[in-house]
């Protein structure tokens, strides 16, 4: 009986020890996960696609903010302290984050500049200065692919153990966007859009438009979210008339009251693009909204081709 009791105690002890080791290992693994910060909505999708559950993603700012007029808050510094690395746009769309990073004075923080290998377009619009670049690379397909590769490569250097996993995920994500572009090109076929002339309300869509051979003849807003003055609006209307602009792209989820005035005065056709920076942080946000933008672009190009013929 005594021997049986000792055996039972030994078994229980062994099980408990195993459980302690198991939970300890699980806790250690969770605690050791790299904490990756992001500054803008699209970069949440990129990083999530690359790291899966191998790292923790921490937005610097709560969802729902406007990056064009956001001012750094004390809570941003607190969040930054928890990050091992942060992925930034770094070319004008998240300047608020660069201020927070500078204020943190953290030599140990790794900053990944997602656009460091991306060919950049010049900025357009009345408010941009000389030498300014278009920071909206997340709206393009090829630029998105390049940024995801850059993110995967940089994270692989920091976490060699998961490097193969990161690069495999990046290739899979890139293949999805190449497929989207191929399908869009196939849908357009031999459509003649050589006469398509467009304007935009914001300096945001050049990267996706250039991939389909569409040039932007005019940018209407003086600055993002700032409506043109009466004289600026009249100048825009005259330019649209003189340039035979037949399509105006404007931003989903942003008020554009002056657009209705332009439509009535010129007869220009309106189409809305997602800026991909609104709403909650979501894993598949870029994939979903990029597809919506492509569908919109296809519709507009078909309209332009038909309009020129008729």
């Amino acid at each position: 009986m005594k021997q049986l009791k000792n055996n039972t105690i030994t078994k229980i002890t062994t099980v408990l020890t195993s459980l302690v080791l198991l939970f300890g290992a699980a806790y250690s693994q969770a605690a050791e996960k790299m904490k990756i910060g992001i500054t803008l909505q699209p970069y949440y999708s990129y990083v999530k696609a690359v790291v899966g559950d191998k790292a923790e993603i921490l937005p610097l700012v709560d969802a729902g903010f406007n990056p064009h007029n956001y001012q750094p808050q004390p809570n941003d510094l607190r969040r930054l302290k928890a990050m091992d690395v942060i992925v930034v746009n770094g070319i004008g769309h998240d300047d608020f984050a660069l201020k927070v990073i500078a204020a943190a004075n953290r030599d140990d923080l790794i900053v990944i500049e997602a656009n460091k290998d991306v060919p950049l377009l010049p900025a357009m619009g009345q408010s941009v200065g000389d030498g300014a670049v278009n920071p909206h690379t997340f709206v393009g397909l090829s630029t998105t692919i390049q940024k995801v590769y850059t993110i995967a490569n940089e994270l692989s250097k920091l976490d060699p153990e998961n490097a193969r996993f990161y690069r495999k995920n990046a290739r899979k994500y890139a293949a999805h966007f190449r497929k989207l572009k191929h399908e869009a090109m196939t849908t357009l076929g031999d459509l003649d859009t050589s006469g398509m002339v467009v304007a935009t309300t914001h300096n945001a869509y050049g990267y996706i438009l250039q991939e389909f051979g569409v040039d932007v003849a005019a940018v209407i807003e003086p600055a993002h979210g700032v409506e043109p003055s009466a004289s600026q609006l009249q100048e825009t209307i005259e330019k649209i008339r003189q340039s035979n602009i037949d399509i105006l792209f404007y931003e989903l989820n942003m008020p554009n009251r002056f657009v209705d005035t332009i439509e009535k005065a010129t007869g220009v056709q309106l189409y809305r693009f997602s800026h991909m920076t609104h709403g909650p942080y979501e894993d598949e946000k870029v994939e979903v909204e990029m597809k919506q933008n492509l569908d919109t672009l296809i519709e507009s190009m078909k309209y332009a081709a038909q309009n020129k013929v008729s």
Side-chain angles (χ1 to χ4, degrees), residues 4-296:
L4 179 62
K5 183 178 181 181
N6 288 338
N7 288 341
T8 302
I9 292 174
T10 301
K11 289 180 180 178
I12 293 174
T13 302
T14 302
V15 170
L16 289 175
T17 301
S18 299
L19 288 173
V20 168
L21 291 173
L22 179 63
F23 284 116
Y27 175 79
S28 176
Q29 185 178 12
E32 291 173 1
K33 279 188 177 181
M34 184 163 46
K35 293 180 173 58
I36 307 172
I38 56 94
T39 61
L40 298 171
Q41 299 271 5
Y43 296 94
Y44 183 91
S45 294
Y46 299 163
V47 174
K48 184 63 177 177
V50 170
V51 304
D53 61 356
K54 301 290 187 183
E56 184 178 352
I57 307 172
L58 305 175
L60 182 65
V61 181
D62 288 332
F65 75 103
N66 183 345
H68 290 279
N69 58 22
Y70 181 78
Q71 295 299 318
Q73 304 295 318
N75 196 42
D76 302 340
L77 271 173
R78 286 192 289 271
R79 291 182 180 180
L80 193 70
K81 288 180 181 178
M83 300 174 187
D84 301 310
V85 56
I86 186 168
V87 178
V88 301
N89 177 271
I91 54 173
H93 210 287
D94 55 2
D95 287 346
F96 66 90
L98 304 185
K99 294 176 183 177
V100 175
I101 293 169
N105 195 25
R106 278 189 56 190
D107 295 334
D108 63 319
L109 181 69
I110 306 297
V111 179
I112 295 178
E113 297 182 1
N115 284 292
K116 71 183 184 71
D117 297 319
V118 174
L120 302 175
L121 294 174
M124 295 178 63
Q126 300 176 43
S127 65
V128 301
D130 293 337
V133 297
N134 185 337
H136 305 86
T137 52
F138 41 82
V139 182
L141 291 149
S142 297
T143 45
T144 289
I145 291 171
Q146 180 58 66
K147 286 190 294 181
V148 169
Y149 282 148
T150 295
I151 291 168
N153 288 336
E154 294 302 315
L155 291 179
S156 294
K157 296 175 186 176
L158 300 174
D159 184 12
E161 184 177 337
N162 291 307
R164 180 174 294 184
F165 179 78
Y166 295 157
R167 291 191 171 110
K168 178 181 178 181
N169 286 347
R171 288 192 295 270
K172 180 180 178 182
Y173 198 65
H176 174 75
F177 289 101
R178 283 196 293 269
K179 182 179 179 181
L180 283 180
K181 183 175 179 178
H182 174 73
E183 290 173 348
M185 290 292 191
T186 302
T187 299
L188 291 169
D190 297 326
L191 199 68
D192 181 10
T193 58
S194 57
M196 184 177 181
V197 185
V198 310
T200 70
T201 59
H202 180 36
N203 173 42
Y205 317 121
Y207 290 102
I208 189 171
L209 292 175
Q210 73 165 357
E211 296 193 58
F212 291 83
V214 179
D215 294 323
V216 178
V219 175
I220 294 170
E221 283 183 335
H224 184 59
V226 178
E227 295 191 1
S229 65
S231 61
Q232 289 172 330
L233 186 58
Q234 188 56 44
E235 289 175 9
T236 297
I237 289 172
E238 291 302 320
K239 184 170 184 176
I240 288 175
R241 287 171 175 165
Q242 294 169 8
S243 303
N244 294 319
I245 292 172
D246 46 13
I247 289 173
L248 174 62
F249 292 112
Y250 67 108
E251 186 176 341
L252 193 66
N253 301 317
M254 284 291 287
N256 294 284
R257 292 175 296 179
F258 60 90
V259 170
D260 293 334
T261 302
I262 294 173
E263 180 187 24
K264 291 177 182 177
T266 64
V268 69
Q269 188 74 10
L270 303 178
Y271 291 95
R272 295 189 297 178
F273 274 146
S274 168
H275 200 257
M276 298 194 220
T277 57
H278 298 277
Y281 295 102
E282 297 173 339
D283 298 1
E284 299 180 352
K285 185 177 188 66
V286 172
E287 295 174 81
V288 171
E289 297 191 11
M290 186 75 79
K291 178 63 167 60
Q292 293 170 351
N293 282 351
L294 281 172
D295 290 342
T296 297

